[in-house]
Amino acid sequence: MYRIIADLHTHTLVSNHAFNTITEMARAAKEMGHCAIAVTDHGPAMPDSPHPWYFYNLRRLPDVLEGIPVLKGAEANVTDLEGTLDLPSDFLAGLDWVIASIHSDCLPGTLTVEQATNLWLKVAENPVVDMIGHSEQAKHVYDYERVARAFAEHHKVVELNGNSWAVRPEGAGNMKALALACKKAGCPIALNTDAHSIYQMQAGVGHLVRLLEEIDFPEELVVNASPSRLLEELKQHSKPVAERIGGSL
């Protein structure tokens, strides 16, 4: 049985289509028994995202809020076929956790498999990216095995996104193929809610856990399955926060 001890993809009301404050999200995660949470609001290319100053000020908050370590991060938007992100690399390098995701508002249309594959191969080489967000989307199908090998080589975490069944159902069936590719490549993954409210976070990722059980996915590749594994992942990504919160995990 897989135990999920941290949610590494959540949003607060500074992304205007979400509903809770960072304090409320941290408190709810603590009450759920989580050991950590990452707050990763949308980058500025999204229509209702916070101003870039928000991410600068976010870094000034304490590492522990409401009794739980809070990774201060961003969900950066991929904006073109070159894998360009909507926040500068030097800016993202100062955050605790950086997700790279495709959203239709920022990269509209349907990509060919070749286009999507080349895009993610370029993102894989970006040193400031820690995790790949909801990449199973039907409009952006890529060569999962080839790219999973690149993600593993560059030590990117591949997300299985619990919210995809609700907002991207047409691509949710690709999740199994993506997970199998990660298993074959030895690529680390994370199971996250992509919660836009405390209620969504509390609903959990049981459906994703069942998927992993179905394919006998190695637990040691799930980075948010234990505090020690999460801490090691942060160290692998050279995150200074790892030293600051090590005792709190």
Side-chain angles (χ1 to χ4, degrees):
M1 182 67 181
Y2 305 85
R3 175 182 174 231
I4 302 304
I5 57 85
D7 202 327
L8 299 179
H9 186 169
T10 70
H11 296 274
T12 73
L13 53 68
V14 301
S15 295
N16 289 342
H17 57 294
F19 298 94
N20 290 101
T21 66
I22 189 171
T23 301
E24 291 166 339
M25 295 296 285
R27 184 182 302 135
K30 176 69 173 179
E31 291 173 352
M32 288 174 63
H34 279 345
C35 298
I37 183 176
V39 172
T40 51
D41 281 298
H42 290 286
M46 281 287 277
D48 65 349
S49 64
H51 191 280
W53 289 350
Y54 160 79
F55 297 100
Y56 179 80
N57 284 331
L58 180 65
R59 294 181 292 183
R60 299 185 179 188
L61 291 177
D63 293 317
V64 177
L65 300 174
E66 301 300 303
I68 187 172
V70 176
L71 301 179
K72 298 176 282 294
E75 184 179 14
N77 296 288
V78 179
T79 59
D80 57 33
L81 296 181
E82 297 302 312
T84 305
L85 302 181
D86 62 344
L87 285 166
S89 291
D90 57 348
F91 195 94
L92 291 172
L95 295 175
D96 300 330
W97 194 247
V98 176
I99 307 171
S101 300
I102 297 176
H103 293 96
S104 58
D105 286 313
C106 308
L107 187 63
T110 300
L111 304 184
T112 66
V113 171
E114 182 180 10
Q115 286 175 323
T117 297
N118 289 334
L119 179 157
W120 285 123
L121 288 174
K122 289 171 182 173
V123 172
E125 295 178 352
N126 189 333
V128 302
V129 173
D130 302 306
M131 187 169 73
I132 309 303
H134 49 68
S135 67
E136 79 297 324
Q137 298 177 64
K139 290 185 176 182
H140 315 124
V141 175
Y142 58 97
D143 185 334
Y144 297 130
E145 290 199 4
R146 181 184 175 192
V147 178
R149 290 194 297 270
F151 286 154
E153 178 185 353
H154 295 282
H155 212 81
K156 305 305 180 194
V157 178
V158 172
E159 174 185 71
L160 299 189
N161 187 293
N163 197 29
S164 290
W165 266 264
V167 299
R168 293 172 289 271
E170 68 282 356
N174 297 330
M175 202 87 71
K176 184 175 181 180
L178 178 57
L180 284 169
C182 290
K183 177 183 178 180
K184 185 175 181 179
C187 181
I189 69 167
L191 276 57
N192 302 311
T193 63
D194 191 1
H196 289 61
S197 72
I198 61 172
Y199 312 106
Q200 191 178 2
M201 184 168 60
Q202 290 164 346
V205 291
H207 51 313
L208 299 178
V209 168
R210 290 189 289 274
L211 186 154
L212 293 193
E213 291 173 341
E214 179 184 338
I215 64 173
D216 194 25
F217 193 90
E219 186 189 11
E220 63 269 18
L221 289 177
V222 184
V223 301
N224 56 341
S226 77
S228 60
R229 206 162 297 140
L230 176 58
L231 189 61
E232 184 58 36
E233 191 67 27
L234 292 171
K235 291 178 180 178
Q236 178 76 32
H237 292 249
S238 301
K239 299 294 185 178
V241 70
E243 297 300 325
R244 302 197 303 267
I245 68 171
S248 301
L249 283 175

